[in-house]
Amino acid sequence: MLTRIDHIGIACFDLDKTVEFYRATYGFEVFHSEVNEEQGVREAMLRINGTSDGGASYLQLLEPTREDSAVGKWLAKNGEGVHHIAFGTDDVDGDAADIREKGVRVLYDEPRTGSMGSRITFLHPKDCHGVLTELVTSRADD
């Protein structure tokens, strides 16, 4: 069962400059940052709030580390902006299977490792009214 909006992913050309905008404008601070080599991105997670299920809501700022990454290609076509929305779930495997049975294309056969050690998969935007949608199960110790 989906429990919350885990994060909204925002693609940007300059991560440091974008982090500074969100810090100066809204007071959001970086909770976590990392480079995900598999996905070809450098990212910063800005924690917005905690939730009753023990999770949190974040803005995820994404800068491509290479032009051929999914985010790099998306930025070249669309420019900066909202890239995806992610919903938190206790069971990414089960929810992905249930959603797949409803005719929505799930992009990964098996969930992959995402930010902060989470398990993730994506749903095809053409099946989700134009919105790239991510399902996230946070690491157990978060």
Side-chain angles (χ1 to χ4, degrees):
M1 176 175 86
L2 305 181
T3 59
R4 69 184 181 285
I5 295 175
D6 184 85
H7 67 271
I8 297 171
I10 300 172
C12 61
F13 291 111
D14 184 327
L15 185 65
D16 297 328
K17 184 177 176 181
T18 307
V19 164
E20 179 54 26
F21 168 81
Y22 281 97
R23 189 204 59 72
T25 305
Y26 306 115
F28 299 152
E29 297 293 339
V30 174
F31 177 80
H32 175 83
S33 62
E34 68 181 82
V35 174
N36 185 318
E37 295 293 343
E38 179 183 2
Q39 294 181 22
V41 295
R42 186 169 77 105
E43 66 179 79
M45 296 293 276
L46 310 178
R47 185 180 171 120
I48 307 306
N49 68 327
T51 62
S52 62
D53 68 356
S57 294
Y58 302 91
L59 287 180
Q60 179 187 44
L61 306 178
L62 300 159
E63 175 190 67
T65 58
R66 56 183 198 270
E67 291 179 9
D68 69 340
S69 70
V71 172
K73 291 175 185 176
W74 190 91
L75 267 171
K77 180 179 178 182
N78 300 292
E80 293 185 307
V82 174
H83 179 262
H84 68 275
I85 186 167
F87 295 107
T89 173
D90 291 333
D91 182 9
V92 69
D93 298 276
D95 283 336
D98 290 346
I99 291 168
R100 180 180 280 124
E101 287 179 13
K102 294 174 181 168
V104 175
R105 287 174 281 179
V106 178
L107 299 184
Y108 304 150
D109 290 332
E110 295 291 326
R112 296 182 181 179
T113 301
S115 299
M116 301 183 287
S118 61
R119 297 185 71 239
I120 64 166
T121 196
F122 285 90
L123 310 178
H124 200 291
K126 289 185 179 179
D127 297 340
C128 299
H129 299 272
V131 178
L132 179 61
T133 304
E134 182 179 4
L135 304 179
V136 178
T137 296
S138 298
R139 193 173 65 204
D141 61 343
D142 286 349

